[in-house]
Short mmCIF file of all heavy atoms in Angstrom, two decimals:
data_model
loop_
_atom_site.label_atom_id
_atom_site.label_comp_id
_atom_site.label_asym_id
_atom_site.label_seq_id
_atom_site.Cartn_x
_atom_site.Cartn_y
_atom_site.Cartn_z
N SER J 327 4.52 -16.30 5.81
CA SER J 327 5.08 -16.24 7.12
C SER J 327 4.39 -15.14 7.93
O SER J 327 3.87 -14.18 7.39
CB SER J 327 6.58 -16.00 7.07
OG SER J 327 6.84 -14.65 6.73
N ASP J 328 4.42 -15.29 9.25
CA ASP J 328 3.74 -14.33 10.11
C ASP J 328 4.38 -12.95 10.03
O ASP J 328 3.68 -11.94 10.04
CB ASP J 328 3.76 -14.84 11.56
CG ASP J 328 2.85 -16.02 11.77
OD1 ASP J 328 1.89 -16.16 10.97
OD2 ASP J 328 3.06 -16.79 12.72
N ALA J 329 5.70 -12.90 9.95
CA ALA J 329 6.39 -11.60 9.88
C ALA J 329 6.01 -10.86 8.61
O ALA J 329 5.73 -9.66 8.63
CB ALA J 329 7.90 -11.79 9.95
N PHE J 330 5.96 -11.59 7.47
CA PHE J 330 5.58 -10.95 6.21
C PHE J 330 4.12 -10.50 6.27
O PHE J 330 3.80 -9.42 5.78
CB PHE J 330 5.80 -11.88 5.03
CG PHE J 330 5.41 -11.28 3.72
CD1 PHE J 330 6.25 -10.33 3.13
CD2 PHE J 330 4.24 -11.61 3.08
CE1 PHE J 330 5.90 -9.72 1.93
CE2 PHE J 330 3.88 -11.01 1.88
CZ PHE J 330 4.72 -10.06 1.30
N ASP J 331 3.26 -11.29 6.88
CA ASP J 331 1.85 -10.91 7.00
C ASP J 331 1.69 -9.62 7.80
O ASP J 331 0.91 -8.74 7.44
CB ASP J 331 1.05 -12.03 7.63
CG ASP J 331 0.92 -13.26 6.77
OD1 ASP J 331 1.21 -13.14 5.54
OD2 ASP J 331 0.57 -14.33 7.28
N ARG J 332 2.44 -9.49 8.88
CA ARG J 332 2.38 -8.26 9.69
C ARG J 332 2.91 -7.08 8.89
O ARG J 332 2.33 -5.99 8.93
CB ARG J 332 3.18 -8.43 10.98
CG ARG J 332 2.47 -9.25 12.04
CD ARG J 332 3.17 -9.12 13.38
NE ARG J 332 4.56 -9.62 13.35
CZ ARG J 332 4.90 -10.87 13.58
NH1 ARG J 332 3.98 -11.77 13.84
NH2 ARG J 332 6.18 -11.23 13.53
N GLN J 333 4.01 -7.29 8.18
CA GLN J 333 4.59 -6.20 7.38
C GLN J 333 3.63 -5.81 6.26
O GLN J 333 3.49 -4.61 5.96
CB GLN J 333 5.94 -6.63 6.83
CG GLN J 333 6.99 -6.75 7.88
CD GLN J 333 8.28 -7.39 7.36
OE1 GLN J 333 8.31 -7.90 6.22
NE2 GLN J 333 9.31 -7.40 8.17
N ALA J 334 2.99 -6.78 5.64
CA ALA J 334 2.04 -6.49 4.57
C ALA J 334 0.86 -5.72 5.14
O ALA J 334 0.35 -4.78 4.50
CB ALA J 334 1.58 -7.79 3.91
N GLY J 335 0.40 -6.12 6.30
CA GLY J 335 -0.70 -5.40 6.96
C GLY J 335 -0.34 -3.94 7.21
O GLY J 335 -1.12 -3.04 6.93
N LEU J 336 0.86 -3.72 7.72
CA LEU J 336 1.32 -2.35 7.94
C LEU J 336 1.47 -1.58 6.63
O LEU J 336 1.17 -0.40 6.59
CB LEU J 336 2.65 -2.34 8.70
CG LEU J 336 2.57 -2.59 10.20
CD1 LEU J 336 3.96 -2.69 10.79
CD2 LEU J 336 1.77 -1.51 10.88
N ALA J 337 1.91 -2.28 5.60
CA ALA J 337 2.07 -1.65 4.29
C ALA J 337 0.74 -1.20 3.72
O ALA J 337 0.69 -0.36 2.81
CB ALA J 337 2.78 -2.58 3.32
N LEU J 338 -0.37 -1.75 4.21
CA LEU J 338 -1.69 -1.31 3.76
C LEU J 338 -2.33 -0.35 4.75
O LEU J 338 -3.01 0.59 4.34
CB LEU J 338 -2.59 -2.55 3.58
CG LEU J 338 -2.18 -3.49 2.47
CD1 LEU J 338 -3.11 -4.71 2.43
CD2 LEU J 338 -2.19 -2.81 1.12
N VAL J 339 -2.13 -0.57 6.04
CA VAL J 339 -2.76 0.27 7.05
C VAL J 339 -2.18 1.69 7.06
O VAL J 339 -2.93 2.67 7.12
CB VAL J 339 -2.65 -0.36 8.47
CG1 VAL J 339 -3.03 0.61 9.54
CG2 VAL J 339 -3.51 -1.62 8.52
N ILE J 340 -0.86 1.80 6.97
CA ILE J 340 -0.23 3.12 7.04
C ILE J 340 -0.68 4.03 5.90
O ILE J 340 -1.09 5.17 6.13
CB ILE J 340 1.30 2.98 7.13
CG1 ILE J 340 1.68 2.40 8.50
CG2 ILE J 340 1.99 4.35 6.89
CD1 ILE J 340 3.13 2.03 8.64
N PRO J 341 -0.66 3.57 4.63
CA PRO J 341 -1.16 4.45 3.55
C PRO J 341 -2.66 4.77 3.70
O PRO J 341 -3.09 5.88 3.38
CB PRO J 341 -0.92 3.66 2.26
CG PRO J 341 0.15 2.69 2.60
CD PRO J 341 -0.04 2.38 4.07
N ALA J 342 -3.43 3.81 4.20
CA ALA J 342 -4.87 4.08 4.38
C ALA J 342 -5.08 5.15 5.43
O ALA J 342 -5.89 6.07 5.23
CB ALA J 342 -5.58 2.78 4.76
N LEU J 343 -4.37 5.06 6.53
CA LEU J 343 -4.49 6.08 7.57
C LEU J 343 -4.01 7.45 7.07
O LEU J 343 -4.62 8.49 7.35
CB LEU J 343 -3.70 5.68 8.82
CG LEU J 343 -4.30 4.51 9.61
CD1 LEU J 343 -3.36 4.11 10.77
CD2 LEU J 343 -5.68 4.86 10.13
N TYR J 344 -2.93 7.45 6.33
CA TYR J 344 -2.42 8.70 5.78
C TYR J 344 -3.47 9.31 4.81
O TYR J 344 -3.71 10.53 4.85
CB TYR J 344 -1.09 8.49 5.03
CG TYR J 344 -0.51 9.78 4.53
CD1 TYR J 344 0.31 10.54 5.37
CD2 TYR J 344 -0.78 10.26 3.26
CE1 TYR J 344 0.83 11.75 4.92
CE2 TYR J 344 -0.26 11.46 2.81
CZ TYR J 344 0.54 12.19 3.65
OH TYR J 344 1.05 13.38 3.22
N ALA J 345 -4.07 8.47 3.98
CA ALA J 345 -5.09 8.96 3.03
C ALA J 345 -6.26 9.55 3.80
O ALA J 345 -6.79 10.61 3.43
CB ALA J 345 -5.55 7.84 2.12
N LEU J 346 -6.68 8.90 4.88
CA LEU J 346 -7.82 9.40 5.67
C LEU J 346 -7.46 10.76 6.31
O LEU J 346 -8.28 11.70 6.27
CB LEU J 346 -8.18 8.40 6.77
CG LEU J 346 -8.93 7.17 6.28
CD1 LEU J 346 -8.99 6.12 7.40
CD2 LEU J 346 -10.33 7.53 5.80
N THR J 347 -6.28 10.86 6.89
CA THR J 347 -5.91 12.12 7.50
C THR J 347 -5.71 13.23 6.45
O THR J 347 -6.05 14.39 6.72
CB THR J 347 -4.62 12.00 8.35
OG1 THR J 347 -3.55 11.53 7.55
CG2 THR J 347 -4.85 11.04 9.52
N ASP J 348 -5.22 12.86 5.28
CA ASP J 348 -5.06 13.84 4.20
C ASP J 348 -6.44 14.37 3.76
O ASP J 348 -6.60 15.56 3.57
CB ASP J 348 -4.31 13.22 3.04
CG ASP J 348 -4.06 14.25 1.92
OD1 ASP J 348 -3.64 15.38 2.24
OD2 ASP J 348 -4.28 13.91 0.75
N GLU J 349 -7.39 13.47 3.63
CA GLU J 349 -8.74 13.91 3.24
C GLU J 349 -9.37 14.77 4.32
O GLU J 349 -10.05 15.74 4.02
CB GLU J 349 -9.61 12.70 2.89
CG GLU J 349 -9.17 11.96 1.64
CD GLU J 349 -9.11 12.84 0.40
OE1 GLU J 349 -10.07 13.62 0.14
OE2 GLU J 349 -8.10 12.78 -0.32
N PHE J 350 -9.15 14.42 5.57
CA PHE J 350 -9.66 15.26 6.66
C PHE J 350 -9.03 16.63 6.58
O PHE J 350 -9.72 17.67 6.73
CB PHE J 350 -9.38 14.62 8.02
CG PHE J 350 -9.70 15.55 9.15
CD1 PHE J 350 -11.03 15.81 9.50
CD2 PHE J 350 -8.69 16.17 9.87
CE1 PHE J 350 -11.33 16.68 10.53
CE2 PHE J 350 -8.99 17.03 10.90
CZ PHE J 350 -10.32 17.30 11.24
N HIS J 351 -7.73 16.67 6.36
CA HIS J 351 -7.04 17.96 6.25
C HIS J 351 -7.61 18.80 5.13
O HIS J 351 -7.69 20.05 5.25
CB HIS J 351 -5.52 17.70 6.01
CG HIS J 351 -4.74 18.96 5.82
ND1 HIS J 351 -4.37 19.37 4.56
CD2 HIS J 351 -4.29 19.89 6.70
CE1 HIS J 351 -3.71 20.52 4.70
NE2 HIS J 351 -3.63 20.83 5.97
N GLN J 352 -8.04 18.16 4.04
CA GLN J 352 -8.61 18.92 2.92
C GLN J 352 -9.91 19.58 3.30
O GLN J 352 -10.29 20.60 2.71
CB GLN J 352 -8.77 18.01 1.71
CG GLN J 352 -7.44 17.66 1.06
CD GLN J 352 -7.63 16.85 -0.19
OE1 GLN J 352 -8.64 16.94 -0.86
NE2 GLN J 352 -6.60 16.10 -0.55
N THR J 353 -10.63 19.03 4.27
CA THR J 353 -11.89 19.67 4.68
C THR J 353 -11.61 21.00 5.37
O THR J 353 -12.51 21.83 5.47
CB THR J 353 -12.70 18.76 5.64
OG1 THR J 353 -11.97 18.59 6.86
CG2 THR J 353 -13.03 17.44 5.02
N LEU J 354 -10.40 21.22 5.86
CA LEU J 354 -10.04 22.44 6.56
C LEU J 354 -9.64 23.56 5.59
O LEU J 354 -9.59 24.72 5.98
CB LEU J 354 -8.91 22.18 7.55
CG LEU J 354 -9.19 21.07 8.58
CD1 LEU J 354 -7.96 20.84 9.45
CD2 LEU J 354 -10.40 21.42 9.44
N ALA J 355 -9.35 23.20 4.36
CA ALA J 355 -8.96 24.19 3.35
C ALA J 355 -10.21 24.65 2.60
O ALA J 355 -10.98 23.81 2.11
CB ALA J 355 -7.95 23.60 2.39
N PRO J 356 -10.43 25.95 2.52
CA PRO J 356 -11.67 26.46 1.89
C PRO J 356 -11.87 26.01 0.44
O PRO J 356 -13.00 25.80 0.02
CB PRO J 356 -11.55 27.97 1.98
CG PRO J 356 -10.37 28.26 2.83
CD PRO J 356 -9.57 27.01 2.98
N SER J 357 -10.80 25.88 -0.31
CA SER J 357 -10.95 25.56 -1.73
C SER J 357 -10.88 24.06 -2.02
O SER J 357 -10.91 23.65 -3.17
CB SER J 357 -9.87 26.28 -2.54
OG SER J 357 -8.60 25.81 -2.13
N ARG J 358 -10.78 23.22 -0.98
CA ARG J 358 -10.64 21.77 -1.17
C ARG J 358 -11.83 21.05 -0.56
O ARG J 358 -12.48 21.53 0.33
CB ARG J 358 -9.35 21.26 -0.52
CG ARG J 358 -8.07 21.92 -0.96
CD ARG J 358 -7.68 21.62 -2.41
NE ARG J 358 -7.54 20.22 -2.70
CZ ARG J 358 -6.40 19.55 -2.72
NH1 ARG J 358 -5.26 20.20 -2.48
NH2 ARG J 358 -6.36 18.28 -3.03
N THR J 359 -12.07 19.84 -1.06
CA THR J 359 -13.12 18.99 -0.47
C THR J 359 -12.53 17.58 -0.27
O THR J 359 -11.65 17.17 -1.00
CB THR J 359 -14.35 18.88 -1.40
OG1 THR J 359 -13.95 18.37 -2.65
CG2 THR J 359 -15.02 20.23 -1.57
N ALA J 360 -13.07 16.89 0.72
CA ALA J 360 -12.64 15.53 1.00
C ALA J 360 -13.39 14.58 0.07
O ALA J 360 -14.51 14.88 -0.38
CB ALA J 360 -12.92 15.18 2.44
N SER J 361 -12.79 13.45 -0.22
CA SER J 361 -13.41 12.48 -1.11
C SER J 361 -13.07 11.07 -0.67
O SER J 361 -11.89 10.71 -0.57
CB SER J 361 -12.91 12.71 -2.54
OG SER J 361 -13.30 11.66 -3.39
N ALA J 362 -14.12 10.28 -0.41
CA ALA J 362 -13.90 8.88 -0.08
C ALA J 362 -13.26 8.14 -1.28
O ALA J 362 -12.47 7.21 -1.11
CB ALA J 362 -15.20 8.22 0.30
N ARG J 363 -13.56 8.61 -2.46
CA ARG J 363 -13.00 8.03 -3.68
C ARG J 363 -11.48 8.13 -3.67
O ARG J 363 -10.77 7.19 -4.07
CB ARG J 363 -13.59 8.72 -4.90
CG ARG J 363 -13.08 8.19 -6.21
CD ARG J 363 -13.78 8.90 -7.35
NE ARG J 363 -13.17 8.49 -8.59
CZ ARG J 363 -13.02 9.30 -9.63
NH1 ARG J 363 -13.44 10.53 -9.59
NH2 ARG J 363 -12.47 8.84 -10.72
N ASP J 364 -10.96 9.28 -3.24
CA ASP J 364 -9.51 9.45 -3.18
C ASP J 364 -8.88 8.48 -2.18
O ASP J 364 -7.78 7.96 -2.42
CB ASP J 364 -9.16 10.88 -2.79
CG ASP J 364 -9.37 11.87 -3.93
OD1 ASP J 364 -9.57 11.41 -5.07
OD2 ASP J 364 -9.37 13.09 -3.66
N VAL J 365 -9.52 8.24 -1.06
CA VAL J 365 -9.00 7.31 -0.07
C VAL J 365 -8.95 5.90 -0.68
O VAL J 365 -7.96 5.18 -0.53
CB VAL J 365 -9.86 7.30 1.22
CG1 VAL J 365 -9.42 6.21 2.18
CG2 VAL J 365 -9.81 8.65 1.88
N ILE J 366 -9.99 5.54 -1.41
CA ILE J 366 -10.04 4.22 -2.03
C ILE J 366 -8.93 4.09 -3.08
O ILE J 366 -8.25 3.07 -3.18
CB ILE J 366 -11.45 3.96 -2.65
CG1 ILE J 366 -12.47 3.83 -1.52
CG2 ILE J 366 -11.43 2.72 -3.53
CD1 ILE J 366 -13.90 3.83 -1.99
N ILE J 367 -8.74 5.15 -3.87
CA ILE J 367 -7.69 5.14 -4.90
C ILE J 367 -6.33 4.98 -4.26
O ILE J 367 -5.48 4.19 -4.70
CB ILE J 367 -7.77 6.39 -5.78
CG1 ILE J 367 -9.01 6.35 -6.66
CG2 ILE J 367 -6.50 6.56 -6.61
CD1 ILE J 367 -9.33 7.65 -7.37
N ASP J 368 -6.09 5.72 -3.18
CA ASP J 368 -4.81 5.61 -2.47
C ASP J 368 -4.60 4.18 -1.91
O ASP J 368 -3.50 3.62 -2.01
CB ASP J 368 -4.73 6.62 -1.32
CG ASP J 368 -4.63 8.04 -1.80
OD1 ASP J 368 -4.29 8.25 -2.99
OD2 ASP J 368 -4.92 8.95 -1.02
N PHE J 369 -5.66 3.61 -1.34
CA PHE J 369 -5.56 2.27 -0.79
C PHE J 369 -5.30 1.24 -1.90
O PHE J 369 -4.50 0.33 -1.73
CB PHE J 369 -6.84 1.91 -0.02
CG PHE J 369 -6.79 0.59 0.66
CD1 PHE J 369 -5.99 0.39 1.78
CD2 PHE J 369 -7.52 -0.48 0.18
CE1 PHE J 369 -5.91 -0.84 2.41
CE2 PHE J 369 -7.45 -1.73 0.79
CZ PHE J 369 -6.65 -1.90 1.90
N LEU J 370 -5.99 1.39 -3.02
CA LEU J 370 -5.76 0.49 -4.14
C LEU J 370 -4.32 0.61 -4.65
O LEU J 370 -3.71 -0.40 -5.03
CB LEU J 370 -6.75 0.77 -5.28
CG LEU J 370 -8.18 0.34 -5.01
CD1 LEU J 370 -9.09 0.79 -6.14
CD2 LEU J 370 -8.28 -1.15 -4.81
N GLY J 371 -3.77 1.80 -4.66
CA GLY J 371 -2.37 1.99 -5.05
C GLY J 371 -1.43 1.25 -4.11
O GLY J 371 -0.47 0.62 -4.58
N ALA J 372 -1.73 1.29 -2.82
CA ALA J 372 -0.91 0.55 -1.84
C ALA J 372 -1.05 -0.95 -2.08
O ALA J 372 -0.07 -1.69 -2.01
CB ALA J 372 -1.34 0.91 -0.42
N MET J 373 -2.24 -1.40 -2.39
CA MET J 373 -2.46 -2.84 -2.66
C MET J 373 -1.71 -3.28 -3.90
O MET J 373 -1.09 -4.34 -3.92
CB MET J 373 -3.96 -3.14 -2.82
CG MET J 373 -4.71 -3.11 -1.52
SD MET J 373 -6.48 -3.46 -1.74
CE MET J 373 -6.40 -5.13 -2.35
N ILE J 374 -1.75 -2.47 -4.95
CA ILE J 374 -1.04 -2.80 -6.19
C ILE J 374 0.47 -2.83 -5.94
O ILE J 374 1.16 -3.74 -6.40
CB ILE J 374 -1.43 -1.82 -7.32
CG1 ILE J 374 -2.88 -2.04 -7.72
CG2 ILE J 374 -0.49 -1.95 -8.49
CD1 ILE J 374 -3.45 -0.95 -8.62
N GLY J 375 0.98 -1.84 -5.21
CA GLY J 375 2.39 -1.82 -4.89
C GLY J 375 2.80 -3.04 -4.11
O GLY J 375 3.86 -3.64 -4.36
N LEU J 376 1.98 -3.44 -3.14
CA LEU J 376 2.29 -4.63 -2.34
C LEU J 376 2.24 -5.89 -3.21
O LEU J 376 3.08 -6.77 -3.07
CB LEU J 376 1.32 -4.75 -1.17
CG LEU J 376 1.58 -5.88 -0.19
CD1 LEU J 376 2.95 -5.77 0.45
CD2 LEU J 376 0.49 -5.92 0.86
N ALA J 377 1.27 -5.97 -4.12
CA ALA J 377 1.18 -7.12 -5.01
C ALA J 377 2.41 -7.23 -5.93
O ALA J 377 2.91 -8.33 -6.15
CB ALA J 377 -0.09 -7.04 -5.84
N ILE J 378 2.88 -6.08 -6.42
CA ILE J 378 4.08 -6.08 -7.26
C ILE J 378 5.27 -6.55 -6.45
O ILE J 378 6.05 -7.38 -6.90
CB ILE J 378 4.30 -4.68 -7.87
CG1 ILE J 378 3.21 -4.36 -8.90
CG2 ILE J 378 5.71 -4.59 -8.50
CD1 ILE J 378 3.20 -2.94 -9.37
N TYR J 379 5.41 -6.02 -5.25
CA TYR J 379 6.53 -6.42 -4.38
C TYR J 379 6.46 -7.90 -4.10
O TYR J 379 7.46 -8.61 -4.19
CB TYR J 379 6.52 -5.60 -3.07
CG TYR J 379 7.50 -6.15 -2.08
CD1 TYR J 379 8.85 -5.86 -2.18
CD2 TYR J 379 7.08 -6.97 -1.03
CE1 TYR J 379 9.77 -6.37 -1.29
CE2 TYR J 379 7.98 -7.48 -0.12
CZ TYR J 379 9.32 -7.18 -0.25
OH TYR J 379 10.22 -7.70 0.63
N TRP J 380 5.27 -8.38 -3.78
CA TRP J 380 5.10 -9.80 -3.43
C TRP J 380 5.45 -10.69 -4.63
O TRP J 380 6.11 -11.70 -4.46
CB TRP J 380 3.67 -10.05 -2.98
CG TRP J 380 3.39 -11.49 -2.66
CD1 TRP J 380 3.76 -12.16 -1.53
CD2 TRP J 380 2.72 -12.42 -3.48
NE1 TRP J 380 3.34 -13.46 -1.60
CE2 TRP J 380 2.70 -13.64 -2.79
CE3 TRP J 380 2.12 -12.37 -4.76
CZ2 TRP J 380 2.11 -14.80 -3.32
CZ3 TRP J 380 1.54 -13.48 -5.28
CH2 TRP J 380 1.54 -14.68 -4.57
N SER J 381 5.03 -10.30 -5.83
CA SER J 381 5.30 -11.12 -6.99
C SER J 381 6.80 -11.13 -7.33
O SER J 381 7.34 -12.18 -7.71
CB SER J 381 4.48 -10.69 -8.20
OG SER J 381 4.87 -9.43 -8.64
N ILE J 382 7.46 -9.99 -7.16
CA ILE J 382 8.91 -9.95 -7.40
C ILE J 382 9.63 -10.81 -6.35
O ILE J 382 10.53 -11.60 -6.69
CB ILE J 382 9.44 -8.51 -7.37
CG1 ILE J 382 8.92 -7.75 -8.59
CG2 ILE J 382 10.94 -8.47 -7.32
CD1 ILE J 382 9.15 -6.25 -8.55
N ARG J 383 9.24 -10.66 -5.11
CA ARG J 383 9.85 -11.44 -4.03
C ARG J 383 9.64 -12.94 -4.25
O ARG J 383 10.54 -13.75 -4.07
CB ARG J 383 9.27 -11.01 -2.69
CG ARG J 383 9.87 -11.71 -1.53
CD ARG J 383 9.30 -11.11 -0.23
NE ARG J 383 9.94 -11.75 0.89
CZ ARG J 383 9.28 -12.30 1.89
NH1 ARG J 383 7.98 -12.24 1.94
NH2 ARG J 383 9.93 -12.86 2.90
N ARG J 384 8.44 -13.30 -4.67
CA ARG J 384 8.11 -14.71 -4.90
C ARG J 384 8.92 -15.26 -6.05
O ARG J 384 9.45 -16.38 -5.99
CB ARG J 384 6.61 -14.83 -5.15
CG ARG J 384 6.18 -16.26 -5.27
CD ARG J 384 4.67 -16.29 -5.40
NE ARG J 384 4.27 -17.66 -5.68
CZ ARG J 384 3.14 -18.01 -6.22
NH1 ARG J 384 2.29 -17.07 -6.57
NH2 ARG J 384 2.84 -19.25 -6.43
N SER J 385 9.03 -14.52 -7.13
CA SER J 385 9.76 -15.01 -8.29
C SER J 385 11.27 -15.08 -7.99
O SER J 385 11.98 -15.95 -8.50
CB SER J 385 9.51 -14.16 -9.53
OG SER J 385 10.03 -12.86 -9.34
N ALA J 386 11.77 -14.20 -7.17
CA ALA J 386 13.18 -14.21 -6.80
C ALA J 386 13.51 -15.44 -5.97
O ALA J 386 14.62 -16.01 -6.11
CB ALA J 386 13.57 -12.94 -6.06
N THR J 387 12.60 -15.87 -5.12
CA THR J 387 12.87 -17.05 -4.31
C THR J 387 12.71 -18.35 -5.09
O THR J 387 13.24 -19.37 -4.70
CB THR J 387 11.96 -17.10 -3.06
OG1 THR J 387 10.59 -17.10 -3.48
CG2 THR J 387 12.23 -15.92 -2.14
N ARG J 388 11.98 -18.29 -6.20
CA ARG J 388 11.77 -19.48 -7.04
C ARG J 388 12.76 -19.58 -8.18
O ARG J 388 12.84 -20.59 -8.85
CB ARG J 388 10.36 -19.48 -7.60
CG ARG J 388 9.32 -19.74 -6.58
CD ARG J 388 7.98 -19.87 -7.22
NE ARG J 388 6.99 -20.28 -6.24
CZ ARG J 388 5.84 -20.77 -6.56
NH1 ARG J 388 5.48 -20.86 -7.82
NH2 ARG J 388 4.98 -21.13 -5.62
N ALA J 389 13.49 -18.50 -8.47
CA ALA J 389 14.42 -18.51 -9.60
C ALA J 389 15.55 -19.51 -9.34
O ALA J 389 16.10 -19.57 -8.24
CB ALA J 389 14.99 -17.11 -9.81
N PRO J 390 15.90 -20.28 -10.34
CA PRO J 390 17.01 -21.23 -10.18
C PRO J 390 18.33 -20.48 -10.01
O PRO J 390 18.50 -19.40 -10.55
CB PRO J 390 17.00 -22.06 -11.45
CG PRO J 390 16.28 -21.21 -12.44
CD PRO J 390 15.33 -20.35 -11.67
N ALA J 391 19.22 -21.07 -9.28
CA ALA J 391 20.54 -20.45 -9.08
C ALA J 391 21.30 -20.44 -10.40
O ALA J 391 21.24 -21.40 -11.18
CB ALA J 391 21.32 -21.21 -8.02
N ALA J 392 22.04 -19.38 -10.63
CA ALA J 392 22.81 -19.27 -11.86
C ALA J 392 24.00 -20.24 -11.77
O ALA J 392 24.59 -20.43 -10.71
CB ALA J 392 23.30 -17.82 -12.03
N ALA J 393 24.33 -20.82 -12.89
CA ALA J 393 25.46 -21.75 -12.95
C ALA J 393 26.75 -20.97 -12.83
O ALA J 393 26.92 -19.93 -13.44
CB ALA J 393 25.42 -22.52 -14.25
N VAL J 394 27.63 -21.48 -12.04
CA VAL J 394 28.93 -20.85 -11.86
C VAL J 394 29.91 -21.51 -12.82
O VAL J 394 30.07 -22.72 -12.82
CB VAL J 394 29.41 -20.99 -10.39
CG1 VAL J 394 30.81 -20.40 -10.23
CG2 VAL J 394 28.42 -20.37 -9.44
N ALA J 395 30.55 -20.72 -13.66
CA ALA J 395 31.47 -21.27 -14.66
C ALA J 395 32.90 -21.12 -14.24
O ALA J 395 33.32 -20.30 -13.58
CB ALA J 395 31.23 -20.62 -16.00
#
């Protein structure tokens, strides 16, 4: 659905932007360095989290209704 696609996009864009700003902030600290690798790791974490959510949501909508006794 379009609404889920927009939400999924935000669920990836927001962590990516946060990771970028965090890495930029690290360049301002004398003892820290920025790393593109860290941004990629953060983005992959967001992707994995979204995939887990999507699979749970998908399985929940496909699960048969429980029999009422």
Side-chain angles (χ1 to χ4, degrees):
S327 75
D328 289 337
F330 180 75
D331 292 344
R332 283 192 299 272
Q333 291 170 351
L336 281 175
L338 294 177
V339 168
I340 291 171
L343 290 175
Y344 185 86
L346 286 168
T347 58
D348 183 45
E349 292 303 314
F350 171 73
H351 177 259
Q352 287 185 25
T353 65
L354 304 176
S357 63
R358 303 293 302 262
T359 57
S361 169
R363 181 177 173 215
D364 286 346
V365 173
I366 292 168
I367 290 169
D368 291 342
F369 184 72
L370 288 174
M373 287 180 63
I374 291 168
L376 184 60
I378 291 169
Y379 170 78
W380 178 78
S381 66
I382 291 170
R383 182 175 183 231
R384 185 174 173 202
S385 66
T387 59
R388 289 185 173 197
V394 177

